[in-house]
Amino acid sequence: MSWTSRDHTTPPPHPGASGLLDAGSTADLARQLDLARDLVTTAVDRAERPYSGATVDQLRRVVDAVDLDSPLASTDEALDELRRVYLDHAVWFHHPRYQAHLNCPVAVPAVVADVVASAVNTSVDTWDQSGAATLVEQRLVAWLADRVGFDSAANGLFTSGGTQSNLHGLLLARERAAADGVPRERWCVVVSERAHFSARRAAHLLGIALDAHGDGVLEVPTDGQGRMVPRALGRTLQSARLRGLHAVAVVATAGTTDHGAVDPLEETAGLARAHGAWVHVDAAYGGGLLLSPTRRHLLRGLELADSVTVDFHKSWFQPVACSALVVRDRELLALGRHHADYLNPEDDGAEPNLVDHSLQTTRRFDALKLWLTLRTLGAAHLGGLLDRVCDLAAATREDLAGDPDFEVVGGTDLSTVLFRYVACAPGLADDVNDAARARLVADGAASVARTRLDGRTWLKLTLLNPATTREDTRHVVDLVRRLAADATASRTLEDAR
Ligand SMILES: Cc1ncc(COP(=O)(O)O)c(C=O)c1O
């Protein structure tokens, strides 16, 4: 029996053994990591499809059958249970036919670093809880800022994801408007109609013009590729001004969630500045282009931003969670500074307390995984991997453009493919595409996403797995074709009755 999983009545096998990490328990840690390694490597090797196809009810029965008040007799048993409860029905992002959302297969060194960070349990908040981890994070932030094109005045933080990074960016924008004396009734935020919903939500959370002017978020139209139209942005800013509103921030997106489009960053920044607005660029998805050997130019103008979101857990192949907000000027980041007597009082001396600026207090050392990835695989390698999936998206769009059964949205900057089955009566197309996607989910052999554009249903491939080939995308498209044709046939038959 392992003392880490004893039941309530069994005393620890030796005095002082608590099941927690200490100098005496490292042999047990090593043994359990070996077991975990075997478990996860076997599961990854055996995953024949992205998902088992189990239904919610089936899985709920498995999960609910576990008696959480009765620990198992050994780690081996507990891990076997964990396999049944979790791994047998995990959604496998490393599988080449997982092509649905913005999830990536992970860099192996990053997983290793995550284990180390978990075992040490550093909290990157105050210097006295973090030590060198603070410096590692700061070094990476400075490195990232340099890649963005900011100078040494820049600063930033790791966050839990794009949602938090966007919230933080807009918080700073709001604080600056407040510091400039703009009354809150005049605040608004300008986003493109294709911006991620987290930008709109952040504005709501920040109370931006919530009472006086509806939701305080003004939407700018996009072109057919999902890019913000600069002239429309100019009109939106102008009409906001005429209404007495002040644009606290303009949010540009570098890599929209559906189209994978990069907004025109230079024009957007120029227009925003002319209206006194903070420029936040949500590069949660497109931030990976910073490393691309062939596509870095798509981010031209990023250096004009005040704040930038980059999600390493999307296009940098890092495990969740790993994101950063990088800010052009450390004085701007300091707009969100806060102090607590028990933690980081203002007279705390010269040591860096990253909690001064963070929205989180206790914070995982997520920077470590990126560090180890860069120190082993290297940045150029990651950029090459992203290029590969962008190339695959272009090739897949080409396939679809030549296929009369499908309509495809042409052109994207990143690795999404938007398409829909159209070999049916136009009035049936939404229903048929919905049905095909539902059948795929139920089956689990492949995974595609679904979205709505211009009031119609579209299917979406988000290609983030460099191991996915053109054969894989063709296979998935053929699966969709077959399922959609079946759905068309059954609906046509029903109509005929
Ligand atoms: C463009 C964009 N921004 C922000 C987010 C939110 O990121 P996260 O899920 O890491 O919070 C997403 C998520 O897909 C996104 O596509």
Side-chain angles (χ1 to χ4, degrees), residues 170-439:
L170 291 184
L171 167 75
L172 299 177
R174 187 193 72 171
E175 295 305 288
R176 192 181 67 175
D180 288 347
V182 182
R184 59 178 303 159
E185 309 80 61
R186 294 185 51 214
W187 294 344
C188 66
V189 164
V190 178
V191 302
S192 97
E193 59 182 343
R194 293 275 153 222
H196 190 257
F197 70 83
S198 56
R200 171 181 286 279
R201 250 182 117 211
H204 289 178
L205 287 169
L206 295 166
I208 292 184
L210 200 56
D211 306 322
H213 300 283
D215 67 7
V217 178
L218 309 182
E219 278 191 358
V220 180
T222 54
D223 64 17
Q225 258 80 53
R227 287 187 196 94
M228 182 144 67
V229 178
R231 203 179 302 165
L233 171 63
R235 276 197 300 269
T236 304
L237 287 165
Q238 193 57 32
S239 79
R241 178 176 280 179
L242 291 174
R243 286 164 60 197
L245 297 178
H246 171 78
V248 165
V250 171
V251 179
T253 309
T256 57
T257 316
D258 280 342
H259 291 77
V262 179
D263 286 338
L265 301 178
E266 279 174 323
E267 290 103 312
T268 303
L271 286 161
R273 287 246 182 285
H275 284 79
W278 180 284
V279 182
H280 176 73
V281 179
D282 176 359
Y285 178 15
L289 296 173
L290 289 169
L291 309 184
S292 162
T294 61
R295 292 174 168 85
R296 172 62 181 87
H297 63 276
L298 293 170
L299 296 180
R300 199 175 297 131
L302 189 62
E303 69 284 357
L304 302 174
D306 292 300
S307 54
V308 177
T309 292
V310 177
D311 270 8
F312 306 111
H313 62 212
K314 291 187 171 57
S315 47
W316 297 54
F317 308 100
Q318 298 297 295
V320 174
C322 200
S323 173
L325 176 76
V326 54
V327 180
R328 177 172 57 80
D329 184 340
R330 59 188 63 248
E331 295 303 320
L332 298 175
L333 185 67
L335 288 166
R337 186 170 44 212
H338 54 92
H339 296 280
D341 288 342
Y342 84 96
L343 193 65
N344 60 333
E346 282 192 65
D347 62 357
D348 208 19
E351 291 92 7
N353 290 326
L354 296 189
V355 74
D356 290 358
H357 299 129
S358 173
L359 298 188
Q360 293 168 265
T361 307
T362 304
R363 196 159 55 94
R364 267 184 69 83
F365 186 19
D366 288 321
L368 189 64
K369 48 197 162 195
L370 181 60
W371 179 275
L372 200 63
T373 304
L374 294 178
R375 298 306 299 141
T376 49
L377 300 182
H381 181 70
L382 295 185
L385 295 179
L386 181 61
D387 263 6
R388 198 180 301 173
V389 292
C390 292
D391 290 344
L392 177 64
T396 304
R397 262 194 311 278
E398 219 175 273
D399 284 344
L400 283 159
D403 189 329
D405 288 351
F406 291 98
E407 188 179 344
V408 60
V409 176
T412 169
D413 297 314
L414 282 139
S415 61
T416 60
V417 181
L418 289 162
F419 67 110
R420 61 192 244 122
Y421 182 80
V422 290
C424 56
L428 282 183
D430 281 357
D431 194 21
V432 157
N433 280 283
D434 281 338
R437 200 256 171 178
R439 287 275 306 280

Side-chain angles (χ1 to χ4, degrees), residues 38-62:
D38 292 347
L39 180 76
V40 74
T41 51
T42 305
V44 168
D45 283 344
R46 284 195 186 150
E48 283 169 0
R49 42 179 54 212
Y51 184 59
S52 67
T55 63
V56 179
D57 284 345
Q58 284 168 337
L59 289 190
R60 202 188 303 282
R61 274 197 292 280
V62 176

